[in-house]
Amino acid sequence: MSDSSTRRPAVGVRDVAALARVSPTTVSNALSGNRPVSSSTRERVVWAVEQLGYRPNISAQNLRGRRTGLIGVAVPEIDVPYFAELIRHVVDASRQRGYTVLIDQTEGRLEAERFVLNGMNPGMVDGILFSPLSVDRTECETRRDRTPLVLLGERVSGHGVDHVAIDNVAAAADATNHLIRRGCHRIAAIGYQESHGGGTAPQRTQGYRTALRAADLTFDPVLVRHTDRYHRRDGEQAMMELLDSSGDPDAVFCYSDLLALGAIHALHDRGLRVPEDVAVIGIDDIDEGRYSTPTLTTVAPDKVAIANAAVELLFDQIAGTAQAPRQVVAPHTVEVRRSA
Amino acid sequence: MSDSSTRRPAVGVRDVAALARVSPTTVSNALSGNRPVSSSTRERVVWAVEQLGYRPNISAQNLRGRRTGLIGVAVPEIDVPYFAELIRHVVDASRQRGYTVLIDQTEGRLEAERFVLNGMNPGMVDGILFSPLSVDRTECETRRDRTPLVLLGERVSGHGVDHVAIDNVAAAADATNHLIRRGCHRIAAIGYQESHGGGTAPQRTQGYRTALRAADLTFDPVLVRHTDRYHRRDGEQAMMELLDSSGDPDAVFCYSDLLALGAIHALHDRGLRVPEDVAVIGIDDIDEGRYSTPTLTTVAPDKVAIANAAVELLFDQIAGTAQAPRQVVAPHTVEVRRSA
DNA sequence: CTGAAAGCGCTTACAG
DNA sequence: CTGAAAGCGCTTACAG
């Protein structure tokens, strides 16, 4: 049996110091650049480091320096394309600042989200990017933990915590208006949810209703479908219900691309054409929608801008240069493709 | 300007010990259960912990205990659905063992992959799950770093490193045979790559050729298309080339679902029907394929089994109970849907 | 069952 | 520019 878990005695600063004939202090300074070191000394240190294959122990640096070089990203599900794409940009933005990303998947569970709000494990991360689902705004704002925190995709009207999101009311109105301009007048909405602490769904419903009203279209509750989640299967099921109801929609505004893709699946199943019989628009602009049949018209949040803004806010907090809680509104555009 | 970055003096074991009127040792033992503690003492400790809101510092535990509670997962791109879905299962399996997952995105860059092979930063993770792209097998096997490592999706014939994968030769043969049984005889392949250190592509090509030969179908190089990556756009482009060539395929075996979805997009663009004009099959069984139009026939690797096996191998290494390098072959099945 | 002491590997005042 | 000392917060032998 090979004992692959044996940690070899790990070469430390002391070994490097001994070989380079300097003190550990000087090794540290030479490597970090925190204090000036004569070039000849530095050379010997570097030589010794290479000689020994020395690499500093992160945990020790963390303990001493009170930073981990890690930021936590907590999302409900990492295999939801929108989150996967967003995380990718977060990882890129973080790496540029020498930070590594640690993933936490909450699945929207209250307990898991409270753990996040409490800064995860003490000293585990320097800051957290958090996309909440179950926890309400009040809870976000009254938390006791002081770990730097930035909320993602949350309502842009709170005041206790930094957050970045698109203008969800405007985004929903833009989507609905696109359908109206297309000539649709029985416009359904899929993804409705009761307000519970400032989620995005109520804002989207608001934008939808506002756009209908502005166009003198009547709001028909039969056309508004609740879904628990925003997955393909939820969109499929809601669309089925819609078709089985007396609603007779000629268009559907879905609160996520996944919902929209599920809805299209249901429409095809029933032998209906998209967009001829029913036009479909989503929100998220995930890559999948560029290749679906038909391609998906959608509201595109600027994910790179969201990731960059979120990381920047977080690093301002970490650096201690943060101003009062800020809210960033990232831009969005309507991507017109074939489905609407 | 609010100074949100101020770390409050952080309550430590000593504070808890003082309040509970015991030694730090006892606090540690009471909390960890490493040594017996009288129940009355434990109660006082627990009370003090709650009173003070004490939570142990992870970095200090790491430094002392030589474990981090973190496992690193390195994949080329986390927003590729197959990886996102796999990581989800890895996160689930890891959490069950009290471990958190740290994500590294290599984008297939050689430098980034070598960093992974070197155990990332010393002391940063207890083990690594790695899906390599650029680095070759030899390099995986001759690495000097001793951080526990398990390879994902790699050829199942190496001997130096633990790895888990499906039987790619058989999977490709199964896919091709499915098309043959459907009556196709001009079967194209998309995703071909030169062998560079034991990737999966050559194995899939081998399975494809084996199946053709067994059915007395001639192998036509025109029908085999190379792609650099396995994204939707690569599949789309390869399919276009195929249609512009003299190949005249009646079916396509794609080396990933994303390639297949891109190919279907191209076929629809050219006004061809799937599967009537050209049948399409992929590999990966991503959720997207259950809702695409038409739904995607695919070879489904058991992702849960892969994640569980990988995590188990890794923890055996971490625990030091690992046997000689092992290779796990995860099961796969053909999921017949509409596209083939 | 409990405690005093040492030390994980590093960096930061402090002194020169 | 360089070094000796202290200490980040914890847990593990060691002793009782």
Side-chain angles (χ1 to χ4, degrees):
Chain A
M1 170 178 144
S2 73
D3 189 353
S4 62
S5 80
T6 302
R7 304 279 189 279
R8 50 169 179 221
V11 346
V13 254
R14 310 179 58 156
D15 304 289
V16 176
L19 184 59
R21 301 197 161 288
V22 294
S23 71
T25 302
T26 299
V27 171
S28 175
N29 291 153
L31 261 29
S32 67
N34 286 347
R35 299 200 167 281
V37 166
S38 77
S39 57
S40 66
T41 303
R42 185 193 332 282
E43 274 170 30
R44 287 213 314 287
V45 170
V46 169
W47 170 82
V49 164
E50 285 175 358
Q51 207 59 206
L52 265 30
Y54 167 75
R55 297 181 306 167
N57 179 296
I58 297 287
S59 287
Q61 286 183 329
N62 292 348
L63 181 56
R64 185 60 235 243
R66 292 155 172 297
R67 64 149 254 166
T68 64
L70 248 38
I71 71 169
V73 176
V75 297
E77 297 168 293
I78 97 159
D79 57 346
V80 162
Y82 176 75
F83 290 125
E85 294 181 11
L86 189 60
I87 290 174
R88 182 198 181 114
H89 298 305
V90 168
V91 169
D92 288 344
S94 302
R95 200 207 322 270
Q96 285 173 16
R97 302 172 193 243
Y99 267 69
T100 303
V101 167
L102 181 152
I103 299 285
D104 193 42
Q105 181 171 263
T106 64
E107 302 187 40
R109 287 177 294 112
L110 195 55
E111 185 196 18
E113 296 201 342
R114 288 194 171 133
F115 175 71
V116 172
L117 243 27
N118 278 322
M120 304 172 117
N121 289 315
M124 175 164 261
V125 296
D126 295 340
I128 297 176
L129 260 32
F130 178 30
S131 179
L133 217 56
S134 301
V135 112
D136 67 15
R137 215 183 74 215
T138 310
E139 199 161 352
C140 290
E141 295 178 353
T142 59
R143 76 201 182 101
R144 293 173 53 195
D145 188 88
R146 287 182 142 297
T147 305
L149 175 75
V150 174
L151 260 27
L152 291 174
E154 256 309 284
R155 139 179 303 183
V156 183
S157 54
H159 287 299
V161 192
D162 281 2
H163 45 223
V164 14
I166 57 171
D167 181 337
N168 278 293
V169 177
D174 290 350
T176 309
N177 281 327
H178 175 75
L179 297 173
I180 293 170
R181 275 197 300 275
R182 258 193 139 268
C184 305
H185 42 92
R186 296 287 300 161
I187 302 174
I190 292 181
Y192 170 80
Q193 288 177 350
E194 293 291 331
S195 174
H196 62 308
T200 55
Q203 302 169 53
R204 292 180 182 179
T205 302
Q206 187 191 328
Y208 162 75
R209 296 191 66 161
T210 302
L212 289 186
R213 197 178 313 121
D216 278 326
L217 292 176
T218 53
F219 170 77
D220 184 351
V222 168
L223 290 177
V224 178
R225 313 305 295 195
H226 164 94
T227 62
D228 277 334
R229 293 276 174 139
Y230 280 16
H231 292 172
R232 298 175 186 86
R233 73 171 57 85
D234 302 304
E236 176 186 29
Q237 196 182 331
M239 191 70 238
M240 297 282 200
E241 291 169 12
L242 223 32
L243 294 175
D244 291 338
S245 75
S246 56
D248 193 29
D250 57 9
V252 190
F253 162 43
C254 296
Y255 292 12
S256 85
D257 278 1
L258 249 29
L259 287 175
L261 265 351
I264 290 175
H265 183 77
L267 288 163
H268 284 173
D269 241 35
R270 295 293 179 92
L272 293 167
R273 293 165 305 163
V274 178
E276 294 80 0
D277 297 319
V278 180
V280 178
I281 189 169
I283 295 192
D284 281 349
D285 189 30
I286 61 178
D287 197 47
E288 182 174 347
R290 293 163 202 247
Y291 291 85
S292 60
T293 303
T295 54
L296 185 64
T297 294
T298 188
V299 177
D302 187 336
K303 298 192 199 77
V304 172
I306 292 173
N308 284 338
V311 169
E312 192 174 320
L313 289 183
L314 193 61
F315 278 87
D316 281 353
Q317 286 188 39
I318 292 172
T321 61
Q323 307 299 314
R326 291 174 294 177
Q327 38 199 65
V328 173
V329 179
H332 68 266
T333 54
V334 176
E335 284 294 316
V336 181
R337 295 198 276 252
R338 309 306 270 289
S339 70
Chain B
M1 171 178 145
S2 74
D3 189 355
S4 62
S5 80
T6 301
R7 303 280 190 277
R8 51 171 178 218
V11 348
V13 254
R14 310 179 58 157
D15 304 290
V16 176
L19 184 59
R21 302 198 160 287
V22 294
S23 71
T25 303
T26 299
V27 171
S28 175
N29 290 153
L31 261 28
S32 67
N34 286 347
R35 299 199 167 281
V37 165
S38 77
S39 57
S40 67
T41 303
R42 186 191 335 280
E43 275 170 30
R44 287 213 314 288
V45 169
V46 169
W47 170 81
V49 164
E50 286 175 358
Q51 206 57 208
L52 266 29
Y54 167 73
R55 297 182 306 167
N57 179 296
I58 296 287
S59 288
Q61 286 183 329
N62 293 348
L63 180 56
R64 186 59 237 242
R66 292 157 170 297
R67 66 149 252 167
T68 64
L70 249 37
I71 71 170
V73 176
V75 297
E77 296 167 294
I78 98 158
D79 57 347
V80 163
Y82 176 76
F83 289 125
E85 293 180 12
L86 189 60
I87 290 174
R88 184 199 180 112
H89 298 305
V90 168
V91 168
D92 287 344
S94 303
R95 200 207 321 270
Q96 284 173 17
R97 301 171 192 245
Y99 267 71
T100 303
V101 167
L102 182 151
I103 300 286
D104 193 42
Q105 180 170 265
T106 64
E107 301 186 40
R109 287 176 296 113
L110 194 56
E111 185 198 17
E113 296 202 341
R114 287 195 171 133
F115 175 71
V116 172
L117 242 29
N118 278 322
M120 305 173 113
N121 289 316
M124 174 164 263
V125 296
D126 294 340
I128 296 175
L129 260 31
F130 178 32
S131 179
L133 217 57
S134 301
V135 112
D136 67 15
R137 216 183 72 215
T138 310
E139 199 161 353
C140 288
E141 294 177 355
T142 59
R143 76 200 182 102
R144 293 173 53 196
D145 187 88
R146 286 182 142 299
T147 305
L149 175 75
V150 174
L151 261 26
L152 291 173
E154 257 307 285
R155 139 179 303 180
V156 182
S157 55
H159 287 299
V161 192
D162 281 2
H163 46 223
V164 15
I166 57 171
D167 181 338
N168 278 295
V169 178
D174 290 350
T176 309
N177 280 327
H178 174 75
L179 297 173
I180 292 170
R181 274 196 301 276
R182 259 193 138 268
C184 305
H185 42 92
R186 296 289 298 163
I187 302 174
I190 291 180
Y192 170 81
Q193 289 177 348
E194 294 291 331
S195 175
H196 61 307
T200 55
Q203 302 169 55
R204 292 180 181 179
T205 303
Q206 187 191 329
Y208 162 75
R209 296 191 66 162
T210 302
L212 290 185
R213 197 178 313 120
D216 278 327
L217 292 176
T218 52
F219 169 79
D220 183 350
V222 168
L223 290 176
V224 177
R225 313 305 296 195
H226 163 95
T227 63
D228 278 333
R229 293 277 175 138
Y230 280 16
H231 292 172
R232 298 176 186 86
R233 72 171 58 86
D234 302 303
E236 175 186 31
Q237 196 182 332
M239 191 70 238
M240 297 283 199
E241 291 169 13
L242 222 34
L243 294 175
D244 290 338
S245 75
S246 56
D248 196 26
D250 57 9
V252 190
F253 162 44
C254 296
Y255 291 12
S256 85
D257 278 0
L258 249 29
L259 287 176
L261 265 351
I264 289 174
H265 183 78
L267 287 163
H268 284 173
D269 241 35
R270 295 292 180 93
L272 293 168
R273 294 165 305 163
V274 178
E276 294 80 0
D277 297 320
V278 179
V280 177
I281 190 171
I283 294 192
D284 281 348
D285 189 29
I286 60 178
D287 197 47
E288 182 174 347
R290 293 164 200 246
Y291 291 85
S292 60
T293 303
T295 55
L296 185 65
T297 294
T298 188
V299 177
D302 187 337
K303 297 191 199 79
V304 172
I306 292 174
N308 284 337
V311 169
E312 191 176 321
L313 289 182
L314 194 61
F315 278 88
D316 281 353
Q317 285 187 40
I318 292 172
T321 61
Q323 309 298 314
R326 292 175 291 178
Q327 38 199 67
V328 172
V329 180
H332 68 267
T333 53
V334 176
E335 284 295 316
V336 181
R337 295 198 276 252
R338 309 307 269 288
S339 71

